[in-house]
Amino acid sequence: MQRAGNFTETHAKHADRRLNPINRREVSVRPSSSRDLSLTQLRYFVAAAEWESMTDAAASLYVAQSAVSTSIANLEDSLGTQLFIRRRAKGLLLTASGQELLTRARDILAAIDDAVDVLRPDTISGRLEAACFSTLAPFYLPEILHGMSTRFPELELQIRDLSADEINEAISTRAIEVALTYDLGLDPSIVRERLASVPVYAAVALDHPLAARTEVHLHELVEEPMVLLDLPVSRDYFLRAFTGLGLTPMVRHRFGSFEAVRSMVARGHGFTLLNQKPVGDYTYDGGRLHTLRVIDECPGMEIVIASASGPGALSRKARVFAEQCRRTLRAAGHALEEAEGTGYDAEAGPDQADRGEQANPAHPAGPAPAQPAQPAPAGYVAA
């Protein structure tokens, strides 16, 4: 009985030690392994979500399809929720839980990628997902890509041309980190850095009566048929130029193509309002346009760098993209004297950004050397 009594008393003491907060270090509690996640699982999941196919995701990752499907099945099992709806012959569809995880998984992978990049301060490499507004792309994107590939040959830039609505969606879901776009229809939560303001102008055919002039009032155009650049949000901007003055334009044709609008106008089907000007006045089919300055006070289209987080929180890859956009707009003669909302340099670290210092890649702690003036790239004119 004594041994039994000692056994009970000894275990009671041990139990008391486990419950005593002072002795918590003696208690080993390991989280359930069923919730363990791996970076590989997240990468496979993001790829499958973006390709909407496990087969295509596997091909992009150079792994077997079974590796992707097994990894995602294990991920769903660990999380206790379904991430995809598997549709036979129609690909994958994200569930609400899957959409939520996709945004967060992209953040996690981007943060890890940037952390690794910081450990190699003399090199900017890896992959950057970015976007450019569709009508801005032909004017600026070729020069931006040329500058990026020249300065950062190890950086893989994946860039797509999107509409305003698509840019909103891509930024909010972290499908892209940064975009060069107009400040049109962006969500209030999206951070903007204003780079330029491009004025609106009117365009008519060479044989139009107004072609003998250099400027026009909008009230002189309301009786003329209008060929409208009919893109989401953009269309509202052009129409507000009239409605803000109490005028109603007579829209005859609508096109989502910048060049289709120009060609229709050059052939005498009406006038249009636009912002960006190609160097030449010829259209695809050989027609020619005459442009007129709009005398009325109309707000210009603001070109911005848009992102989900402020400049100080952007990855190094996104910062060098933003800097290349500034350089390109300066060379095109469109940039503001000082871009608003900056205070950091593309190649500077966070501390240098706070001090407003310019980083020199060869001497990271020192100021950047003066940059020679760059001629305007072929294909650009100041509007």
Side-chain angles (χ1 to χ4, degrees):
M1 294 294 295
Q2 181 65 36
R3 292 182 62 187
N6 289 341
F7 179 84
T8 303
E9 182 179 346
T10 299
H11 279 72
K13 290 179 179 179
H14 280 294
D16 182 64
R17 287 170 64 85
R18 287 177 60 87
L19 293 172
N20 189 339
I22 298 177
N23 299 313
R24 278 180 182 164
R25 288 181 297 174
E26 301 179 20
V27 181
S28 177
V29 179
R30 182 179 180 83
S32 171
S33 61
S34 64
R35 295 297 297 273
D36 288 347
L37 306 179
S38 71
L39 293 179
T40 298
Q41 284 178 319
L42 293 181
R43 289 192 180 97
Y44 287 5
F45 164 71
V46 171
E50 292 177 344
W51 285 95
E52 298 181 351
S53 164
M54 293 193 190
T55 300
D56 293 341
S60 71
L61 296 165
Y62 301 100
V63 298
Q65 188 271 342
S66 59
V68 175
S69 58
T70 300
S71 177
I72 292 175
N74 291 338
L75 180 60
E76 290 179 319
D77 183 61
S78 297
L79 297 176
T81 187
Q82 185 178 2
L83 302 174
F84 290 109
I85 298 173
R86 280 78 167 171
R87 301 175 298 172
R88 186 180 299 274
K90 292 185 178 181
L92 302 172
L93 181 65
L94 282 168
T95 62
S97 297
Q99 187 63 63
E100 179 68 22
L101 179 63
L102 177 61
T103 300
R104 297 177 184 273
R106 283 168 169 160
D107 280 342
I108 292 170
L109 295 176
I112 291 174
D113 189 37
D114 198 43
V116 173
D117 205 34
V118 168
L119 299 178
R120 298 181 292 177
D122 297 330
T123 302
I124 295 183
S125 59
R127 176 174 175 145
L128 172 66
E129 299 283 352
C132 185
F133 191 84
S134 56
T135 58
L136 288 177
F139 292 90
Y140 304 111
L141 195 51
E143 181 64 19
I144 290 172
L145 290 178
H146 173 72
M148 293 289 286
S149 61
T150 300
R151 298 172 63 207
F152 311 105
E154 296 186 35
L155 177 61
E156 179 188 356
L157 178 59
Q158 295 292 323
I159 190 162
R160 61 194 85 172
D161 63 317
L162 301 175
S163 68
D165 292 342
E166 291 170 332
I167 286 175
N168 259 330
E169 175 71 13
I171 290 178
S172 63
T173 61
R174 306 303 193 272
I176 61 172
E177 184 177 359
V178 65
L180 177 68
T181 182
Y182 286 121
D183 189 5
L184 291 175
L186 296 177
D187 290 338
S189 60
I190 290 179
V191 179
R192 304 151 172 84
E193 176 194 336
R194 185 168 174 256
L195 301 185
S197 182
V198 187
V200 65
Y201 68 89
V204 296
L206 287 184
D207 59 357
H208 192 282
L210 290 172
R213 295 166 49 181
T214 59
E215 54 188 20
V216 67
H217 283 285
L218 291 182
H219 71 79
E220 299 178 82
L221 298 171
V222 291
E223 299 299 326
E224 300 277 344
M226 181 178 186
V227 183
L228 178 66
L229 180 59
D230 194 12
L231 291 173
V233 186
S234 296
R235 71 173 75 92
D236 300 325
Y237 165 80
F238 292 119
L239 293 176
R240 277 198 303 271
F242 287 95
T243 58
L245 299 174
L247 305 172
T248 303
M250 185 172 61
V251 178
R252 178 68 57 82
H253 303 285
R254 298 171 179 262
F255 295 95
S257 164
F258 178 82
E259 283 300 330
V261 168
R262 296 181 72 248
S263 294
M264 291 291 288
V265 171
R267 293 300 178 183
H269 295 288
F271 78 95
T272 192
L273 295 185
L274 296 170
N275 292 90
Q276 296 295 331
K277 287 184 182 179
V279 168
D281 54 7
Y282 283 95
T283 61
Y284 281 1
D285 64 346
R288 295 181 64 186
L289 292 172
H290 176 76
T291 62
L292 302 118
R293 185 180 73 87
V294 174
I295 300 172
D296 306 276
E297 290 188 10
C298 299
M301 281 264 208
E302 294 191 350
I303 302 175
V304 300
I305 293 290
S307 65
S309 45
L314 290 177
S315 69
R316 291 180 70 218
K317 292 183 283 291
R319 295 206 303 272
V320 298
F321 174 81
E323 174 58 24
Q324 185 59 51
C325 290
R326 294 188 208 101
R327 292 184 180 207
T328 300
L329 265 72
R330 282 198 298 267
H334 285 173
L336 302 173
E337 291 186 6
E338 181 177 353
E340 298 179 3
T342 56
Y344 69 97
D345 180 71
E347 297 165 32
D351 293 338
Q352 291 170 311
D354 293 339
R355 297 193 301 269
E357 297 178 1
Q358 296 273 328
N360 182 350
H363 305 282
Q371 295 293 326
Q374 301 181 41
Y380 302 116
V381 294

